[in-house]
Amino acid sequence: KLLSGEDVSSNFEPSVTCQGAIFSPSTGVVDSHNFMVALLADAEEHGATLALNSSVTGASNSNGTITIEAEGMQLECDSVVNCAGLHADRINTIILDSMKTGSNDPTRRNNGDEGSNRMRQYFAKGNYYRLEGQKAPFQHLVYPVPEKGGLGVHATIDLGGNTRFGP
């Protein structure tokens, strides 16, 4: 819902001065660890396998089935969730190049260091600081308009009810 600056200061956040805002009533904070544990349980219940600390060495595609090669394992799937963090670009290249070529030929497999599907990552590090010794100034999450290179400093409320500013 679009709000005017007046709406924000009089009805939502008196400490915020702005030209306008977008109010998202469904935005919130979740316990990410417990959420991931629940997602893993659901996935395993449906036949998924979590392969931690397993280096992906290749991928191939045959008739819509993706085969990921990792640590001597052959993992067959219809979909891949790429959670490789700093190595996500390499894994992306391996998988997408295999999808494009449809190759099962190991001599045509890409190790992820090069390729037409190479994606570029943009890294940013941020720190969050907890507001201490005073009442929380906000009742909602407050985000500025994103700026080049990041989200800008925003205010979040953690699971303990503390206000944090960052990144």
Side-chain angles (χ1 to χ4, degrees):
K1 176 180 177 182
L2 291 176
L3 304 174
S4 69
E6 176 68 25
D7 287 336
V8 172
S9 60
S10 61
N11 299 320
F12 291 91
E13 295 292 349
S15 299
V16 173
T17 302
C18 64
Q19 298 287 322
I22 298 172
F23 177 63
S24 174
S26 62
T27 298
V29 177
V30 299
D31 180 337
S32 58
H33 178 77
N34 283 331
F35 179 60
M36 292 297 138
V37 168
L39 287 177
L40 176 59
D42 288 348
E44 288 177 338
E45 189 174 298
H46 289 90
T49 300
L50 176 65
L52 296 173
N53 300 315
S54 301
S55 296
V56 173
T57 56
S60 59
N61 175 30
S62 178
N63 299 323
T65 298
I66 302 165
T67 302
I68 303 293
E69 300 167 18
E71 302 290 329
M73 295 181 284
Q74 303 284 316
L75 305 169
E76 291 186 357
C77 53
D78 297 322
S79 301
V80 175
V81 177
N82 182 354
C83 301
L86 296 176
H87 302 287
D89 60 332
R90 188 178 73 78
I91 303 305
N92 181 73
T93 301
I94 290 170
I95 294 169
L96 290 182
D97 278 355
S98 77
M99 299 291 286
K100 187 173 89 178
T101 63
S103 176
N104 281 330
D105 178 0
T107 63
R108 295 187 64 197
R109 291 192 186 130
N110 190 330
N111 68 1
D113 292 330
E114 298 177 8
S116 59
N117 290 299
R118 183 75 175 178
M119 85 177 166
R120 168 126 194 220
Q121 294 191 79
Y122 297 90
F123 300 105
K125 181 185 181 317
N127 295 302
Y128 282 83
Y129 299 92
R130 186 173 63 204
L131 181 65
E132 293 183 351
Q134 56 185 298
K135 184 178 178 266
F138 308 115
Q139 299 300 311
H140 302 89
L141 305 179
V142 178
Y143 290 87
V145 175
E147 56 190 36
K148 185 175 181 166
L151 294 175
V153 175
H154 53 272
T156 62
I157 302 166
D158 66 20
L159 292 173
N162 299 302
T163 300
R164 293 183 179 268
F165 294 97

